[in-house]
Amino acid sequence: MGRWYTLCRRLTALAAVFMMVFCFVIPVSAKTTENGVAVYVSDNESTFDPGGATYSRIICLKNSGSANGTLLCTYDQLKNVTVDMDDGTSVSKQVYPIYKSTDNGDNWQLISNVYDKEYGLLRTSQPCLYELPVQVGDMPAGTILLAGNIFDDDPYTQSRIVLYKSMDGGYTWTFLSEVDNGGACIYDPSTTSTTTTVWEPFLGMSESGDLVCYYSDERQKSDGVLQAVSLKTSSDGVNWSGLTNVAAINNTSDRPGMITVTKLPNGKYMATYEMVNRPSLSKNNAVVYCKFSDDGVTWDAGSLGTRVALADGRGIGSSPYVKWIDAGGPNGMVVISAKWGTDSSDSISGGQNFYVNYNLGRGSWERLPMAVTYDYNDLAGGYFSGFSQSFDVSPDNSTLYQATNVENFSNAKTIDGVSYNLNDVRVGTLPLKGSIYEAEKATITNAQAGNAVDASNGLEVQYINESDSSVDFQNIKVENSGNYNILVRYSNGEGIEASHMVTVNGTQIGTVNYPVTVNWDRYLWSGFSCYLNAGTNSIKFSKDVGFAELDCIQVSETSNDFAIINKNSGKYLEIKSALTNEGAESGQWGITDHWCQKWNFEDAGNGSYRIKNMNSGLYLDIESESTVDGAKAIQSSYAERDSQIWLLEETEEGYCHIVNKNSGKYLEVFSNSTEDGASVGQWGITDYGCQEWMLVKEGIH
């Protein structure tokens, strides 16, 4: 049952709540659980727009000395604030509020309001926060920049992209420059649009060290371009270059917008943007695309780019935000947030996951559960919830901070005769050092796995309803004994708090509680800490009070494991027969979910890695340190020799060569075989797919 219950079962659950006299509640983190922490609660009296707040922006300082780790957050605050002007008058207008946290997002303080004093404009929108990583002009590294679009009140006549700077961590601000200006701030994506607005600034650095402002430009309609995403550069933040296009599609239909850009470790730059009027003018779901540049300023502007999608064709849409993070694997991880997910035909479908890629942004993408969830399609009573969110990471790349706007069901307001749940701004955290274990891959007793569009790996365990129902994660592996934080992703649409009994390695340690979620399709995190032994462990969740469905768990501070898939065969690199002895051969096989198909990349310096098999704890090696074609790939104990060192060479479509440092030869499946059990070894480069491999993480546990 799980989602729909009989009256008898509801009464049984309520009786269990009233009869229970003791329940051991395991402490959890308020930042990852409870849907994050509120930075701002929309003002029910003064808010003039049903969104309440949108366009959340967060940065974590990394170039500011002793202030490193400080979080700054702003957003599009849809109300007026009375502010003092330089001439001594007071004016009611919109501002960019700046909030600060010095305790990883637990508590927030409003430290300043930024607003227009130069042009006499009343509206602020579309903020971008940026910390300079290097000196630009007379601004040292650590200077905080705020870009935004300011415009007049109705009737609208102009839009201006402006830049402010703060030299004291966000407490005081001065106007720096105007980047560009355009016509009335009016949204009209139709093919007959005549608007000339400039929109949606985003700041970054070019390869040459210039400051770059990327933004949307509607002033190229005479060239058949409905809207372009463009850029200007500056060596001092004051004087700006001419306009260059990133994407300008000459068909009077496609409308790229809301561009964000990140630099990858291979030196390339990656841009993401929504393509308004995709997949069609009538089904406009603002599908997300990406493209690449060698320097951040030179792009193939006429190219549509590549649709961001999972292997099964699911994509994302609306207001993307992209960032490369030095965590998660040998290539780090490219992470994209967007307002909603889409199915393979680009209809709106879900929206509670980041999209991640561990192969430098190429090839298919995977899901990573969000820290904070929201009404992605505005059907639960929100309005533009999750629109143009953002995220950043801690200085040590261990924690992701997500800032987004979330509908507040206890804060409704009627505007133009319609009641809306105003959005709050919330910040949640997600640990990046840990392994996700899927509930559907656990041992399931008297319950069942079912499809769920927003579940990690697309499946969850439902119907955990009976006295003997349980989900037993029997294959949790850690290298060292000690206490570990366990996060549990769940849904509970029953309307009362639920719980599961938790048993670790055969000993019941207490219960984990599941506060109510908006519905059975909406996820939150709960959590607890427990002691795990070095090696393999079991964590079992059993029916207790109420009802909840399980998506996955994350075990903290564990190794980042990958499956390594061959391009030619689609099969998985493994140690044959799951052997654990020295000298056992590697081969390929279809997916088995066994640890012999899971590998950890250990940094060996200078961009190279040791590749450890997670079943045996031994390392991928070349037999007898051979340098000849056809030598077998085996496993052996750690040794200071180059035959255990491997380099990754990017190829295309998300694949790579795995090159042995000692021999310079390429890991391959012999004879281009596609058969289970085929041997793996080394050979000189052949350009065959049997020498190309892809790293995959989602769903391997």
Side-chain angles (χ1 to χ4, degrees):
M1 308 210 314
R3 293 174 180 250
W4 305 276
Y5 308 111
T6 64
L7 177 61
C8 178
R9 192 169 302 285
R10 290 179 186 270
L11 292 175
T12 300
L14 289 171
V17 172
F18 288 117
M19 290 173 63
M20 190 168 56
V21 296
F22 173 77
C23 177
F24 177 66
V25 179
I26 305 172
V28 297
S29 166
K31 297 191 296 295
T32 303
T33 59
E34 300 178 10
N35 217 25
V37 171
V39 177
Y40 167 76
V41 176
S42 290
D43 185 338
N44 186 278
E45 296 299 323
S46 301
T47 296
F48 57 74
D49 185 278
T54 62
Y55 227 105
S56 303
R57 289 292 179 261
I58 190 169
I59 59 172
C60 180
L61 302 188
K62 302 178 182 68
N63 305 283
S64 298
S66 60
N68 285 349
T70 296
L71 300 173
L72 297 179
C73 182
T74 190
Y75 50 90
D76 194 350
Q77 183 172 258
L78 301 173
K79 73 170 188 176
N80 289 329
V81 174
T82 301
V83 296
D84 296 327
M85 305 301 289
D86 289 341
D87 62 3
T89 62
S90 294
V91 177
S92 179
K93 63 190 327 183
Q94 274 185 276
V95 302
Y96 297 113
I98 307 297
Y99 283 78
K100 175 181 178 179
S101 173
T102 56
D103 56 6
N104 294 311
D106 276 345
N107 295 281
W108 292 87
Q109 174 192 7
L110 176 66
I111 61 172
S112 60
N113 286 316
V114 186
Y115 50 93
D116 172 52
K117 297 182 180 180
E118 284 66 41
Y119 300 98
L121 300 177
L122 297 178
R123 297 284 171 246
T124 59
S125 64
Q126 305 148 22
C128 173
L129 282 172
Y130 186 69
E131 181 194 25
L132 284 180
V134 297
Q135 180 159 331
V136 173
D138 61 1
M139 298 181 292
T143 301
I144 311 301
L145 301 180
L146 170 65
N149 182 17
I150 59 173
F151 56 100
D152 42 8
D153 210 344
D154 192 7
Y156 306 119
T157 62
Q158 60 185 298
S159 52
R160 295 180 183 271
I161 293 178
V162 293
L163 198 61
Y164 303 92
K165 71 175 181 179
S166 173
M167 311 295 288
D168 58 3
Y171 283 91
T172 60
W173 297 82
T174 57
F175 177 79
L176 185 60
S177 63
E178 178 184 273
V179 180
D180 209 342
N181 64 78
C185 205
I186 298 172
Y187 176 68
D188 180 4
S190 69
T191 57
T192 57
S193 167
T194 59
T195 50
T196 56
T197 320
V198 290
W199 307 89
E200 306 154 349
F202 182 82
L203 298 174
M205 299 292 297
S206 73
E207 183 64 26
S208 64
D210 285 337
L211 182 65
V212 186
C213 185
Y214 304 90
Y215 54 100
S216 302
D217 177 23
E218 291 194 71
R219 300 167 302 178
Q220 302 181 42
K221 290 183 170 66
S222 61
D223 296 326
V225 175
L226 188 62
Q227 178 172 281
V229 283
S230 308
L231 66 87
K232 286 186 175 183
T233 63
S234 175
S235 61
D236 58 8
V238 177
N239 302 288
W240 292 90
S241 70
L243 194 73
T244 300
N245 287 331
V246 177
I249 313 303
N250 188 5
N251 62 9
T252 69
S253 174
D254 288 322
R255 180 187 165 105
M258 306 197 78
I259 183 173
T260 60
V261 178
T262 191
K263 186 175 182 180
L264 305 176
N266 60 359
K268 294 186 179 298
Y269 292 74
M270 179 179 176
T272 61
Y273 39 88
E274 63 178 23
M275 193 64 72
V276 172
N277 298 333
R278 286 267 169 170
S280 67
L281 295 177
S282 60
K283 191 171 79 172
N284 171 19
N285 291 327
V287 181
V288 173
Y289 283 74
C290 68
K291 66 171 53 176
F292 300 87
S293 167
D294 290 332
D295 59 8
V297 297
T298 307
W299 306 80
D300 181 4
S303 167
L304 187 66
T306 302
R307 178 176 171 271
V308 174
L310 306 178
D312 65 3
R314 286 185 58 84
I316 47 177
S318 179
S319 56
Y321 192 95
V322 66
K323 190 175 188 66
W324 177 80
I325 298 171
D326 189 10
N331 294 318
M333 56 199 296
V334 183
V335 182
I336 303 177
S337 63
K339 177 168 166 53
W340 52 58
T342 64
D343 61 19
S344 57
S345 64
D346 284 327
S347 297
I348 294 174
S349 175
Q352 300 178 66
N353 293 291
F354 297 108
Y355 269 36
V356 297
N357 182 286
Y358 302 99
N359 300 288
L360 300 170
R362 305 284 187 174
S364 59
W365 292 71
E366 302 182 11
R367 284 160 290 216
L368 179 69
M370 285 181 169
V372 180
T373 61
Y374 49 86
D375 182 12
Y376 62 83
N377 57 7
D378 303 325
L379 294 179
Y383 182 82
F384 266 39
S385 300
F387 180 74
S388 197
Q389 59 189 285
S390 68
F391 56 92
D392 202 355
V393 291
S394 57
D396 64 356
N397 297 296
S398 66
T399 303
L400 182 148
Y401 304 101
Q402 177 191 7
T404 189
N405 52 311
V406 180
E407 77 284 0
N408 184 336
F409 290 102
S410 62
N411 190 19
K413 182 171 184 177
T414 299
I415 299 176
D416 296 331
V418 180
S419 180
Y420 300 92
N421 296 312
L422 299 177
N423 290 311
D424 299 339
V425 175
R426 302 188 71 87
V427 170
T429 65
L430 186 69
L432 293 176
K433 294 183 178 179
S435 293
I436 287 180
Y437 291 79
E438 302 292 347
E440 70 274 8
K441 290 181 177 287
T443 299
I444 302 169
T445 301
N446 207 359
Q448 70 181 51
N451 295 323
V453 295
D454 270 329
S456 174
N457 205 39
L459 293 164
E460 66 179 9
V461 174
Q462 305 163 352
Y463 310 107
I464 312 170
N465 302 336
E466 307 302 328
S467 60
D468 62 343
S469 295
S470 65
V471 181
D472 192 355
F473 297 83
Q474 296 180 342
N475 208 16
I476 294 172
K477 185 172 287 191
V478 299
E479 293 195 29
N480 302 303
S481 298
N483 289 314
Y484 289 81
N485 293 323
I486 313 297
L487 290 172
V488 187
R489 195 179 194 226
Y490 73 95
S491 64
N492 170 16
E494 182 67 3
I496 58 171
E497 186 169 285
S499 62
H500 283 155
M501 291 181 287
V502 179
T503 302
V504 177
N505 294 327
T507 300
Q508 185 175 329
I509 66 167
T511 61
V512 58
N513 292 341
Y514 303 121
V516 172
T517 57
V518 173
N519 52 47
W520 286 105
D521 297 316
R522 183 84 163 260
Y523 293 107
L524 288 178
W525 292 97
S526 189
F528 58 92
S529 295
C530 66
Y531 187 90
L532 298 178
N533 300 318
T536 302
N537 296 264
S538 165
I539 301 179
K540 181 179 179 181
F541 298 83
S542 303
K543 174 73 172 70
D544 188 45
V545 174
F547 306 95
E549 298 173 348
L550 295 186
D551 174 23
C552 62
I553 65 172
Q554 187 198 63
V555 182
S556 67
E557 298 296 323
T558 50
S559 60
N560 285 300
D561 308 328
F562 288 90
I564 304 175
I565 302 176
N566 188 260
K567 181 180 181 180
N568 181 59
S569 65
K571 296 188 183 296
Y572 291 66
L573 179 67
E574 69 169 22
I575 296 298
K576 291 184 178 182
S577 302
L579 293 172
T580 58
N581 59 287
E582 293 257 0
E585 295 181 17
S586 63
Q588 69 173 9
W589 203 276
I591 187 169
T592 64
D593 289 329
H594 196 278
W595 280 97
C596 69
Q597 291 186 340
K598 298 163 190 174
W599 304 84
N600 179 247
F601 286 74
E602 295 183 356
D603 189 356
N606 299 317
S608 62
Y609 300 90
R610 285 185 168 84
I611 305 176
K612 182 167 69 175
N613 186 264
M614 296 306 295
N615 181 58
S616 65
L618 303 179
Y619 293 82
L620 190 66
D621 204 342
I622 294 297
E623 190 173 43
S624 302
E625 301 179 68
S626 176
T627 59
V628 302
D629 285 340
K632 295 177 181 178
I634 62 168
Q635 66 178 5
S636 57
S637 299
Y638 180 97
E640 292 289 343
R641 56 174 181 259
D642 286 348
S643 61
Q644 283 189 0
I645 307 298
W646 304 84
L647 298 95
L648 305 185
E649 288 184 354
E650 180 186 5
T651 56
E652 58 183 11
E653 299 174 350
Y655 291 91
C656 66
H657 290 134
I658 301 177
V659 186
N660 190 261
K661 182 179 179 181
N662 183 58
S663 65
K665 297 190 182 296
Y666 294 70
L667 191 72
E668 70 162 28
V669 177
F670 288 148
S671 303
N672 294 310
S673 176
T674 59
E675 298 298 317
D676 284 339
S679 294
V680 170
Q682 68 177 10
W683 205 277
I685 189 166
T686 63
D687 292 328
Y688 290 128
C690 65
Q691 290 187 341
E692 294 187 62
W693 306 84
M694 179 179 285
L695 309 185
V696 175
K697 181 176 289 190
E698 185 182 8
I700 70 169
H701 294 308

